Amino acid sequence: MSFLVGTASGALVAGGVYYGFSSMISSRTQQHRVDLHHLSDRLVNASSDIPAPLSAAARIPQRPFTEMLQNSWNNQVEALFRRAGDLDKQVVEWARRTLYGGEAGRTKPE
C-alpha cells in the first residue's frame, strides 16, 4: 500500500510543479504580448520629427590654434626648402664663376 501512496504523492507533486511552471510561463507570455503591443503602438505612432544626431563633421571640434600651428610649420618647412634650392643655384653660379671665370650665365668657357 505504501507503494501506491508513494507513487500517488510523487504524481501529485509532479502535477503541481507542472501546473505551477505552466501557469507561470502562460502569465509571462501574456505579459510579454502586452508589452510588445504597447511598444509596437509607440513605434507606429511616434512623431516623425525626431531630431537626427549631428553629422560626424559637425562633431569634430574646431581647433584654430592647432591649425595655426600646422600652417606655421608648413610655411617654415616650405621656406626652408626654397632657401635650400636658392642656395643650390648660388653654389652652382659660384662654381661656374670660380672654374670658368667671368659671367655665371655662360655654360662654356671661350
Side-chain angles (χ1 to χ4, degrees):
M1 180 80 146
S2 75
F3 174 74
L4 289 175
V5 172
T7 304
S9 65
L12 186 62
V13 169
V17 169
Y18 174 77
Y19 177 76
F21 277 119
S22 176
S23 174
M24 182 183 67
I25 289 172
S26 176
S27 66
R28 285 194 179 176
T29 302
Q30 184 61 32
Q31 184 60 41
H32 287 310
R33 282 183 184 165
V34 169
D35 291 343
L36 284 174
H37 181 70
H38 177 70
L39 290 174
S40 175
D41 284 342
R42 283 185 57 196
L43 183 62
V44 169
N45 298 327
S47 64
S48 61
D49 61 343
I50 297 173
L54 294 173
S55 67
R59 287 181 284 177
I60 297 174
Q62 297 298 324
R63 297 182 182 150
F65 178 74
T66 305
E67 291 177 14
M68 181 190 68
L69 193 63
Q70 287 175 344
N71 289 336
S72 174
W73 171 260
N74 289 340
N75 291 338
Q76 289 179 4
V77 170
E78 179 185 3
L80 178 69
F81 277 98
R82 284 189 184 182
R83 282 188 217 128
D86 292 342
L87 181 64
D88 182 50
K89 290 177 187 175
Q90 290 175 359
V91 168
V92 168
E93 288 179 17
W94 175 81
R96 282 187 187 156
R97 277 194 311 265
T98 303
L99 293 174
Y100 303 121
E103 291 182 30
R106 292 188 298 177
T107 57
K108 294 183 181 178
E110 294 180 9

